[in-house]
Amino acid sequence: CMNYMFPASYAWGNFSVLAVGIWAIVQRDSLDAIVMFLTGLLLTVLTDIVHISVFYPPNKHLTDARRFSVGMAIFSLLLKPASCYLLYRMYRERGGE
């Protein structure tokens, strides 16, 4: 549903952070992977805010697919601070300062 509203940069940014997150989970002893994942997640919070604010359609062009796409993007954006907190705790458990 992202094709209805957001440009390809939204999907590429979130999917690349997801790939780094998988790498961070697989390599349990790597602090660099966690730091890169946390940094990428914080960057996607900022870019998601920009994407949602710039590409939000007017009410007369808001179809069901676009409404669902916007709702899922906002829901993802609301969950990212909790993910950042959990990643910071994981970073501390792995020996980060």
Side-chain angles (χ1 to χ4, degrees):
C1 288
M2 288 185 289
N3 289 335
Y4 290 110
M5 189 174 143
F6 295 117
S9 61
Y10 178 81
W12 278 105
N14 284 311
F15 288 142
S16 62
V17 169
L18 179 66
V20 173
I22 292 170
W23 173 50
I25 290 171
V26 169
Q27 285 191 343
R28 294 191 179 269
D29 57 342
S30 176
L31 282 176
D32 294 335
I34 291 290
V35 170
M36 286 179 61
F37 187 34
L38 186 59
T39 305
L41 202 59
L42 290 171
L43 277 172
T44 58
V45 168
L46 295 175
T47 59
D48 286 356
I49 292 170
V50 170
H51 278 106
I52 292 170
S53 63
V54 169
F55 293 104
Y56 194 83
N59 283 338
K60 62 182 176 182
H61 298 288
L62 201 59
T63 62
D64 289 337
R66 286 184 180 197
R67 187 175 294 126
F68 179 76
S69 180
V70 170
M72 289 296 108
I74 292 171
F75 185 64
S76 171
L77 182 61
L78 291 174
L79 287 178
K80 284 185 181 181
S83 299
C84 289
Y85 173 72
L86 293 174
L87 274 173
Y88 180 71
R89 287 190 52 195
M90 188 183 298
Y91 171 73
R92 298 285 295 189
E93 288 175 3
R94 291 188 184 184
E97 294 180 9

